[in-house]
Every structure is written in structure tokens, then in C-alpha cells.
Amino acid sequence: MELAIKLAERGRGLTSPNPMVGCIIVKRGRIVGKGFHKKAGTEHAEVIALSDAGKKAINSTLYVNLEPCSHWGRTPPCTEKIVESGVREVIIGMKDPNSLVDGYRELKFRGIKTKIGILEKEAKKLNEAYVKYTRTKKPFVILKLAMSVDGKIATTTGDSKYITSKEARTYVHQLRSEVDAVMVGINTVLRDNPELTTRLYKGKDPLKIVVDSRLKIPKSCNLMKDPAKLIIATTNRTSKPSIRRLQQKGVNVIITKSRKGLVDLQDLIIQLGKHDITSIMIEGGSHLNSSAIKDGIVDKVMVFTAPKIIGNGIGAIEGLGITKINNAIELKNTFCRRTGKDMLIEGYL
């Protein structure tokens, strides 16, 4: 199963809105077939592995990190292929949160020895974005912070390039390639004119989302160079001519409810889910960071901390109104590791 999960990871960033799935077929202690899902609409991992195994699949054991599909979608049900192949036993990492999928019971009903829940924790972490999106139709949201050891993301002049090491920045570019979209606020665009690409990693470029309540985005900014990859979120109070001008340039403009004159992030997340966006990484400034936390849209936090002291500067998160330590937001299931000269802390809200 561990090998199946590692194989599934090869599809990271490429399978959305589908999950990452890997499949290993073993016979007499030897791997006779393997495959992973490469892209939505293409063959599933089980079908590729069974094709790889051929007749060797007869009386074999099939390992797959996610419950095989049992319904017709873009592709035929994998359970039928498994039954036809002559596989003797199927070992499954986790149940598919999609209510249409009932592969575990289907395979048992068809007389195949089947187990589920093997390395379930690892299997769920691998597809945490898919699990949330399937259950709620809302994207999985990561809040990424890069700050000094005293919690600053920029100096008093707004200078922030570069707080963290190249190794950390390269990893962030890798993370961008793995999510569907990257989100920033308009202040970040005006201050830094970011590209939000994966140039240091050479992976798939994500969609770019700009939270821009008053449509201040400059026509000459880097993000406007590829309008087809740009989503601008604004409010229903914004002037219609301004919206139309952006749409005519090829920008996708999402209009949300207005909350105190600003984009309603909860409404935005619902609308982004309707656009089949399953995962987002927020790389905003202190205001967007705090708003995202207060509005409850963040699932996971990734904090890159550089061994630097800035002193007076811009904090990573604007005031959350917390006055007592006992009321501080505590991350769950935390994990720490070194990235270049920096420390990375991951945790869940």
C-alpha cells in the first residue's frame, strides 16, 4: 500500500478534480502490474495496472489507495475490470467520499476477498483536498506564510524580497504547481506586482485569484499578461462598466456579496467550488490572511520562518482580536521540518 500511495503522488497537481490514485498488483510476492491516474478523463490507476499485468493478474492481489469506482462516469467502472481480470484479493487504503462509489461492497458481493482501511491515515492525507471538495463542494484552502523569526512579512517600507531562502521559495513554487489556484489580495498586487508562477520548479502554473473589492488592479501588472488564467473577485457594488472592461480582456470576474464593502470570502469560496476549483493556496498580505482565518475558510497553515529579525515591520496576520493566550488559535496535527535555512511548520485549523 505504501508503494501504491507513492505511485499515486506522481499525479499530484494533475488530476483535479479527480483524486490521486496509485495501484500495485502483486502475485507470488512480485509486482506484476502498476499504474497511476494521470489526468481527469483518462484511464484510472486500476485499469492501467491491470493492463500492465495482463494475464498475470489472475489470482493476484491488487493494492489501491482509494476505493475503486463502481459507477459510470467519464470512464467505465473499475470494479468490472477488476472482476473480469481474475484478481483474487483487493486491498484498499480508504473509502471514497463520493456517495456514488461503492466499490468495496460491490467487489465483496462479486466474490472477491476485499479489505479496506489499510494505511488509511496516509491515504486520507494524500487526497485531503479531494475529500473536502467531494463532501462540501468547497476547495481545500492552504494559508502560506513566509516571515521572519519575529513574525514580520515585510519591513516598514514594504520590502519583502526575499525573507526566506531559495530552497523555501522553490518549494513554494512546487506547492503552487500542486494546487488549482493561488490567491492574493489587491494590496499584494499593487505592492509586489507578483507573477505567481512556478518558474523555480517548472511545474504546472495555477490559476491566479485576486481579491479586489474596488477593481484597482493595474492593466499593466504581471497577472494581466495572461488573463485566461486570472480570476478577479469583486463585490456586487462594483461598477458594471469596470467589470465588463475586464471581461472583454478575457478575465474571469466573480461577483460576490459585499461584507462591509469588501469581498465576502465565504461566498467567494462557494463560487470557486462551482468553478471546479478544488484547492487554493493563499499568499496574501496581513489583511487577507486575517480575514481568511476569521471567516473560517482556511483548512491548513504552512508557515516558513526565516532566521532573521526585522523589528518594526508588517506583521504576518493583522489583528484577530485575541486578548488572552487561552483564546489563541492552536494548530492541530502539526509537523515541523527544515527547508534550506528556514523552518516550516504545517498544521490544520
Side-chain angles (χ1 to χ4, degrees):
M1 184 59 68
E2 189 175 342
L3 288 175
I5 290 173
K6 285 182 179 178
L7 190 59
E9 286 179 350
R10 292 175 63 180
R12 191 179 291 277
L14 303 173
T15 63
S16 180
N18 284 1
M20 291 173 275
V21 183
C23 181
I24 301 285
I25 299 174
V26 177
K27 187 172 183 178
R28 300 193 187 105
R30 293 180 57 219
I31 294 175
V32 296
K34 58 185 178 180
F36 70 97
H37 185 46
K38 298 175 182 177
K39 186 179 179 181
T42 64
E43 289 183 322
H44 288 188
E46 300 94 320
V47 174
I48 296 171
L50 288 169
S51 178
D52 187 35
K55 292 183 179 180
K56 293 178 183 178
I58 298 172
N59 292 321
S60 67
T61 300
L62 183 149
Y63 295 83
V64 62
N65 60 291
L66 185 71
E67 182 180 22
C69 64
S70 54
H71 66 291
W72 285 85
R74 294 183 182 180
T75 57
C78 289
T79 49
E80 289 301 312
K81 293 287 185 181
I82 292 170
V83 172
E84 291 170 6
S85 70
V87 165
R88 176 176 54 85
E89 184 177 10
V90 175
I91 311 295
I92 303 167
M94 63 170 282
K95 180 164 182 59
D96 195 316
N98 185 342
S99 59
L100 296 175
V101 176
D102 199 15
Y104 171 67
R105 288 204 303 175
E106 175 68 17
L107 291 170
K108 286 185 78 71
F109 177 76
R110 301 289 287 273
I112 295 177
K113 186 178 178 182
T114 311
K115 296 178 184 176
I116 195 166
I118 311 303
L119 292 187
E120 184 177 35
K121 182 179 177 181
E122 292 82 352
K124 284 183 176 179
K125 182 172 175 58
L126 174 71
N127 278 307
E128 58 191 5
Y130 169 75
V131 170
K132 184 195 175 182
Y133 180 74
T134 302
R135 287 176 175 166
T136 68
K137 293 304 175 188
K138 297 178 184 178
F140 184 86
V141 179
I142 301 168
L143 175 61
K144 188 275 295 183
L145 303 171
M147 65 185 193
S148 62
V149 77
D150 57 340
K152 301 298 188 292
I153 60 172
T155 66
T156 52
T157 64
D159 183 34
S160 61
K161 293 184 179 179
Y162 289 103
I163 289 177
T164 52
S165 63
K166 187 173 181 179
E167 290 87 349
R169 299 199 307 274
T170 299
Y171 183 48
V172 169
H173 284 215
Q174 178 183 335
L175 291 171
R176 287 176 184 172
S177 77
E178 295 172 359
V179 296
D180 291 344
V182 173
M183 181 189 292
V184 296
I186 185 57
N187 290 335
T188 297
V189 176
L190 296 174
R191 184 183 66 243
D192 299 337
N193 192 19
E195 296 180 39
L196 303 178
T197 63
T198 57
R199 60 193 178 279
L200 296 180
Y201 181 71
K202 295 183 180 178
K204 174 211 72 181
D205 261 342
L207 293 170
K208 287 82 174 174
I209 303 168
V210 178
V211 180
D212 187 0
S213 301
R214 297 177 180 84
L215 291 188
K216 293 180 180 178
I217 190 164
K219 298 181 180 64
S220 59
C221 72
N222 286 324
L223 297 182
M224 288 292 288
K225 292 176 182 177
D226 189 1
K229 299 277 285 188
L230 179 60
I231 296 173
I232 295 180
T234 192
T235 74
N236 51 14
R237 295 184 179 181
T238 308
S239 75
K240 289 181 172 58
S242 297
I243 292 171
R244 280 196 297 270
R245 280 194 292 271
L246 284 169
Q247 290 173 331
Q248 287 166 359
K249 290 181 178 293
V251 176
N252 185 352
V253 180
I254 292 180
I255 303 169
T256 75
K257 299 173 185 174
S258 176
R259 183 186 292 183
K260 296 181 180 179
L262 302 175
V263 167
D264 185 325
L265 293 180
Q266 292 177 344
D267 184 30
L268 174 59
I269 287 298
I270 291 171
Q271 293 200 52
L272 290 171
K274 292 177 180 177
H275 283 73
D276 284 340
I277 293 175
T278 67
S279 57
I280 297 168
M281 183 162 68
I282 296 176
E283 296 192 57
S286 58
H287 178 72
L288 180 59
N289 294 341
S290 64
S291 296
I293 291 174
K294 285 190 284 190
D295 288 355
I297 67 168
V298 177
D299 298 289
K300 183 177 183 178
V301 177
M302 300 183 74
V303 184
F304 293 85
T305 305
K308 299 174 182 176
I309 297 173
I310 292 176
N312 291 336
I314 300 172
I317 299 174
E318 206 172 70
L320 293 174
I322 295 170
T323 56
K324 293 185 178 181
I325 293 297
N326 286 344
N327 296 331
I329 298 169
E330 191 167 347
L331 299 181
K332 303 166 188 172
N333 302 320
T334 54
F335 172 75
C336 304
R337 67 181 174 89
R338 185 178 291 277
T339 306
K341 295 179 180 179
D342 312 309
M343 287 300 299
L344 168 61
I345 300 177
E346 295 183 33
Y348 296 81
L349 293 180

